[in-house]
C-alpha cells in the first residue's frame, strides 16, 4: 500500500508518496531510456520542495538540466573549508549564471587538519554531517554520480533508496565522458578550471591530485589511502 509523508511549502502542503523498492526498481529500468531532464521532472513532480540537488562544483551539467525543469530548485554545496579556490570561484560563477542562491552548508567547527591522520573522520565531520543535516529534511535528492567515473560507481542506479531511506536520483548515471563533453559544449556549461589541468575528479585540495592519461577519473582522490568515497554516496 502506498503511504504518504507530508511536504510543506510556503502555505502549501501536499503528500509525498512513499515508493516501494519494487516501484523504484521499475522506475529505474524505465529511466535508463529517458533523458536526464525527464528524470528530474519526475523527481520535482513527485517530491516538490522535499527534493534537493547536491552539487560538487566540478561542472554545472546537472544544475543546468535541473534548473531548466525548475529554476528555483534547491542546490546544496558542502563547503568543507578545504576546497580549491577554483572550486569556490566555480560556485560564484554558477550562482551568477543560473541566478541561484546555492545553499552552502558547512561544519561550524574550526579547521583541525584531521585529514592528515584520519580522512574518514574528516570527511564524516566536514562533508557528510553538513549534508546529512540538510537531507534530514528531504525525501529525495539528486546527485551527479555517473557509472563512468570509477569502478566503485560502475553499477550506480538512476534511482534507488539510499542508506538513509531517501530516494536518491542520479539522472546522469549512464552518461559517459563524451556525453558530458558534448553537453558542456552545447549548453555553455560552467566548468571548474581544474578539469583542464588534469583533475578529472575534484574534491578537497589536501586529498585530490591530477590524474595521468588513462587513469581512473577518481584515482586522484585520497592517494595513499584505501578510501575511494567520502561517505555521501556509500
Ligand atoms: S576530502 Fe579530505 S579534506 Fe575534504 S573532508 Fe574529506 S578528508 Fe577532509
Amino acid at each position: 500500500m502506498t503511504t504518504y509523508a507530508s511536504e510543506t511549502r510556503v502555505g502549501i502542503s501536499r503528500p509525498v508518496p512513499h515508493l516501494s523498492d519494487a516501484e523504484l526498481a521499475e522506475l529505474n529500468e524505465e529511466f535508463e531510456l529517458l533523458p536526464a531532464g525527464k528524470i528530474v521532472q519526475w523527481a520535482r513532480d513527485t517530491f516538490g520542495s522535499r527534493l534537493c540537488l547536491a552539487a560538487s562544483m566540478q561542472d554545472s551539467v546537472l544544475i543546468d538540466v535541473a534548473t531548466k525543469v525548475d529554476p528555483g530548485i534547491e542546490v546544496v554545496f558542502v563547503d568543507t573549508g578545504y576546497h580549491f579556490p577554483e572550486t569556490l570561484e566555480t560556485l560564484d560563477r554558477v550562482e551568477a549564471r543560473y541566478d541561484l542562491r546555492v545553499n552552502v552548508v558547512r561544519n561550524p567547527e574550526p579547521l583541525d587538519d584531521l585529514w592528515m591522520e584520519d580522512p574518514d573522520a574528516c570527511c564524516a565531520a566536514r562533508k557528510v554531517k553538513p549534508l546529512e543535516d540538510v537531507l534530514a529534511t528531504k525525501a529525495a535528492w539528486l546527485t551527479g554520480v555517473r557509472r563512468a567515473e570509477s569502478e566503485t560507481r560502475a553499477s550506480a542506479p538512476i534511482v534507488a533508496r539510499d542508506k538513509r531511506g531517501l530516494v536518491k536520483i542520479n539522472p546522469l548515471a549512464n552518461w559517459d565522458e563524451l556525453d558530458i563533453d558534448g553537453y558542456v559544449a552545447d549548453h555553455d556549461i560552467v566548468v571548474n578550471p581544474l578539469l583542464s589541468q588534469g583533475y578529472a575528479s575534484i574534491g578537497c585540495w589536501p586529498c585530490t591530485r591530477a590524474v595521468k592519461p588513462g587513469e581512473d577519473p577518481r584515482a586522484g582522490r585520497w592517494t595513499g589511502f584505501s578510501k575511494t568515497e567520502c561517505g555521501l554516496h556509500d
Side-chain angles (χ1 to χ4, degrees):
M1 187 174 73
T2 303
T3 55
Y4 294 86
S6 171
E7 183 228 337
T8 305
R9 275 192 277 184
V10 212
I12 304 173
S13 181
R14 72 176 172 84
V16 172
H18 174 81
L19 296 158
S20 69
D21 289 347
E23 286 170 316
L24 287 173
E26 206 172 304
L27 284 166
N28 187 50
E29 265 188 48
E30 196 183 308
F31 288 172
E32 287 290 341
L33 303 173
L34 285 190
K38 293 274 187 201
I39 299 166
V40 173
Q41 184 73 61
W42 168 83
R44 189 68 182 92
D45 292 347
T46 306
F47 301 106
S49 62
R50 292 194 65 202
L51 172 76
C52 67
L53 184 162
S56 67
M57 297 304 155
Q58 181 156 307
D59 63 54
S60 69
V61 171
L62 182 57
I63 292 172
D64 191 88
V65 169
T67 53
K68 284 185 165 90
V69 172
D70 176 3
I73 195 161
E74 181 178 346
V75 177
V76 182
F77 174 71
V78 181
D79 182 0
T80 60
Y82 293 110
H83 285 297
F84 290 96
E86 288 87 343
T87 301
L88 300 176
E89 284 161 22
T90 303
L91 167 64
D92 291 342
R93 287 165 55 219
V94 163
E95 287 192 312
R97 163 87 163 76
Y98 298 98
D99 195 18
L100 269 181
R101 174 65 67 88
V102 173
N103 182 11
V104 179
V105 295
R106 54 177 70 83
N107 181 329
E109 298 297 320
L111 297 182
D112 48 16
D113 291 343
L114 186 57
W115 57 269
M116 291 189 199
E117 292 167 19
D118 190 345
D120 282 337
C122 184
C123 276
R126 300 281 161 197
K127 265 190 174 178
V128 179
K129 174 71 168 60
L131 186 65
E132 294 290 357
D133 289 347
V134 174
L135 293 180
T137 67
K138 302 298 179 191
W141 57 311
L142 296 159
T143 91
V145 164
R146 292 187 299 112
R147 293 168 193 154
E149 289 177 304
S150 68
E151 277 182 26
T152 54
R153 296 185 172 188
S155 58
I158 294 180
V159 62
R161 196 178 318 285
D162 72 8
K163 62 185 177 185
R164 307 162 187 84
L166 299 190
V167 176
K168 182 177 174 187
I169 306 129
N170 306 314
L172 312 180
N174 56 10
W175 288 35
D176 62 17
E177 301 311 320
L178 283 178
D179 295 321
I180 293 289
D181 291 349
Y183 195 93
V184 166
D186 292 346
H187 297 270
D188 186 25
I189 293 302
V190 180
V191 171
N192 191 317
L194 292 172
L195 284 175
S196 59
Q197 296 171 36
Y199 292 82
S201 174
I202 302 165
C204 299
W205 65 261
C207 306
T208 308
R209 65 162 172 82
V211 295
K212 300 181 188 77
E215 263 192 308
D216 184 303
R218 286 180 64 83
R221 306 290 293 275
W222 299 287
T223 301
F225 291 91
S226 58
K227 185 174 170 60
T228 57
E229 293 284 346
C230 62
L232 295 177
H233 300 292
D234 293 348

